[in-house]
Amino acid sequence: MLFFILRLSMLYLLNKTDQFIEADEPIKIKVGSDQIVKENKDVVRLLALLTENKAQLAKVKAREALAQADKTKIISNTNPIKLLLTCTS
């Protein structure tokens, strides 16, 4: 009996929740005009930050490519036998 009472209570609460969600007004009506302006400023700020991060990423990739080229050049110019003798002494 207790099980059925709990189940009916749960179904009642779920139904009330669904009614509350359906009766809710759209968000655009609730948002004031000042909040829309703030949101647009935030979007502009985030886009500027994204552009700045892309530029920094391009610089880092260029430095990384240069470092990789230098590393490859040094490795190819190093005599392995001389390097082995230097490491063992």
Side-chain angles (χ1 to χ4, degrees), residues 9-23:
S9 300
M10 184 185 75
L11 291 174
Y12 176 77
L13 289 175
L14 288 174
N15 187 26
K16 285 296 183 181
T17 304
D18 289 339
Q19 287 177 357
F20 178 73
I21 291 172
E22 290 174 5

Side-chain angles (χ1 to χ4, degrees), residues 8-39:
L8 284 175
S9 300
M10 184 185 75
L11 291 174
Y12 176 77
L13 289 175
L14 288 174
N15 187 26
K16 285 296 183 181
T17 304
D18 289 339
Q19 287 177 357
F20 178 73
I21 291 172
E22 290 174 5
D24 199 17
E25 298 176 12
I27 294 174
K28 290 183 180 180
I29 295 173
K30 291 182 178 181
V31 174
S33 60
D34 59 335
Q35 291 179 352
I36 292 173
V37 172
K38 288 180 185 176
E39 183 178 332

Side-chain angles (χ1 to χ4, degrees), residues 52-67:
E52 181 182 325
N53 286 344
K54 282 183 181 180
Q56 289 176 354
L57 180 62
K59 288 178 185 177
V60 168
K61 283 187 177 184
R63 282 189 301 194
E64 186 176 320
L66 182 61

Side-chain angles (χ1 to χ4, degrees), residues 28-86:
K28 290 183 180 180
I29 295 173
K30 291 182 178 181
V31 174
S33 60
D34 59 335
Q35 291 179 352
I36 292 173
V37 172
K38 288 180 185 176
E39 183 178 332
N40 289 339
K41 288 179 183 178
D42 290 340
V43 170
V44 170
R45 184 182 55 81
L46 288 174
L47 288 176
L49 184 62
L50 179 65
T51 305
E52 181 182 325
N53 286 344
K54 282 183 181 180
Q56 289 176 354
L57 180 62
K59 288 178 185 177
V60 168
K61 283 187 177 184
R63 282 189 301 194
E64 186 176 320
L66 182 61
Q68 186 67 31
D70 288 345
K71 177 181 162 185
T72 305
K73 181 179 176 184
I74 290 171
I75 290 173
S76 65
N77 289 339
T78 304
N79 186 354
I81 296 174
K82 186 188 279 185
L83 183 63
L84 182 62
L85 291 174
T86 308

